[in-house]
Amino acid sequence: MSMDYNVFLNDLDDSKIPLWMEELNKLGMECEIHPEFSFKTQTGFLPFKVKVTENSNEELMSNEYLTGFEYYLDSFNLEEHIEPQKQSFFDKLLKKPIEQNYFCSKEIDEKLKLYKYVVTFNFGIADTFELRMASLASATLSRITNGLCCYPGDDIWYDNETIVENALKDVADHERSLNPREFRLHEFEEWL
């Protein structure tokens, strides 16, 4: 089973990587991204080295682990994602106005029409920290780029004012709920 977070944004250049890592490291962990990472060329598995120091299950803290998620950057044009409204013969005959179709809603579409890219953070349950990294990485990236983040599986659109704090709370609650038999961890040895 896999899930996605999507972050819609205008531009993404590698000068944002240090700020992104700085923001992630404020969230009760020490993490590093693969040294060869570039926003524009990365595709597929994006590895992180992470050492959780707070806001988690006590048994998950203090060791360095290898984790990550699938990362994809794609062009985005809102108009390409909205199906044109079709009118029946009788609606045309009666000159009924054409109703507007939306990708999501009028309010969300107004925001989305400003963005040119979408970053997909795909994660699963094969590793205990995949949720942590996908959730916190998408939340912090959305905030620092003034983007728009969503969880399309449940059509949830996040507010950048509270996105990071809410994501951290959700991740911490999830990790604290696990017992050691449920851990799926990979100790960090070297970069893949």
Side-chain angles (χ1 to χ4, degrees), residues 11 27 34 39 62 68 70 123 127 137 149 159 168 171 179 185:
D11 199 14
L27 303 176
H34 193 280
F39 283 117
S62 299
E70 299 287 318
F123 64 100
D127 180 284
C149 183
D159 175 1
L168 182 58
V171 164
N179 65 56
L185 303 167

Side-chain angles (χ1 to χ4, degrees), residues 37-52:
F37 171 72
S38 169
F39 283 117
K40 299 284 185 175
T41 60
Q42 176 69 35
T43 188
F45 183 68
L46 175 55
F48 286 82
K49 176 169 59 170
V50 63
K51 177 181 176 183
V52 179

Side-chain angles (χ1 to χ4, degrees), residues 76 144 188:
F76 178 77
I144 67 173
F188 184 85

Side-chain angles (χ1 to χ4, degrees), residues 7 9 12-27 29-34 37-40 42 46-48 68-72 119-121 132-145 164:
V7 176
L9 40 77
L12 201 53
D13 64 74
D14 291 350
S15 68
K16 294 214 183 328
I17 295 171
L19 176 59
W20 192 32
M21 292 301 99
E22 181 181 317
E23 292 301 308
L24 284 170
N25 281 308
K26 291 178 183 176
L27 303 176
M29 63 183 174
E30 299 167 11
C31 72
E32 295 176 32
I33 197 165
H34 193 280
F37 171 72
S38 169
F39 283 117
K40 299 284 185 175
Q42 176 69 35
L46 175 55
F48 286 82
F69 47 81
E70 299 287 318
Y71 167 97
Y72 302 97
V119 178
T120 301
F121 297 77
R132 167 180 283 271
M133 293 312 299
S135 181
L136 298 179
S138 62
T140 53
L141 186 64
S142 183
R143 185 179 276 175
I144 67 173
T145 62
V164 174

Side-chain angles (χ1 to χ4, degrees), residues 14-159:
D14 291 350
S15 68
K16 294 214 183 328
I17 295 171
L19 176 59
W20 192 32
M21 292 301 99
E22 181 181 317
E23 292 301 308
L24 284 170
N25 281 308
K26 291 178 183 176
L27 303 176
M29 63 183 174
E30 299 167 11
C31 72
E32 295 176 32
I33 197 165
H34 193 280
E36 295 174 5
F37 171 72
S38 169
F39 283 117
K40 299 284 185 175
T41 60
Q42 176 69 35
T43 188
F45 183 68
L46 175 55
F48 286 82
K49 176 169 59 170
V50 63
K51 177 181 176 183
V52 179
T53 57
E54 57 185 75
N55 297 318
S56 186
N57 187 314
E58 288 290 325
E59 295 181 57
L60 293 172
M61 296 193 294
S62 299
N63 291 326
E64 290 183 338
Y65 297 102
L66 177 67
T67 189
F69 47 81
E70 299 287 318
Y71 167 97
Y72 302 97
L73 173 67
D74 295 296
S75 296
F76 178 77
N77 180 334
L78 178 62
E79 292 177 13
E80 293 174 1
H81 295 275
I82 299 175
E83 291 188 29
Q85 180 65 292
K86 295 183 180 167
Q87 238 182 349
S88 72
F89 172 76
F90 290 109
D91 287 343
K92 289 178 187 176
L93 190 63
L94 296 172
K95 298 184 180 182
K96 286 189 176 181
I98 297 174
E99 292 183 26
Q100 176 67 40
N101 277 346
Y102 297 104
F103 177 70
C104 181
S105 68
K106 183 177 181 178
E107 179 184 86
I108 297 295
D109 284 14
E110 282 297 314
K111 295 175 183 177
L112 286 175
K113 72 181 181 182
L114 304 173
Y115 299 119
K116 299 185 290 188
Y117 297 99
V118 59
V119 178
T120 301
F121 297 77
N122 179 267
F123 64 100
I125 58 171
D127 180 284
T128 298
F129 290 127
E130 280 188 44
L131 171 64
R132 167 180 283 271
M133 293 312 299
S135 181
L136 298 179
S138 62
T140 53
L141 186 64
S142 183
R143 185 179 276 175
I144 67 173
T145 62
N146 199 26
L148 183 60
C149 183
C150 78
Y151 177 69
D154 289 332
D155 198 27
I156 298 171
W157 296 82
Y158 299 100
D159 175 1

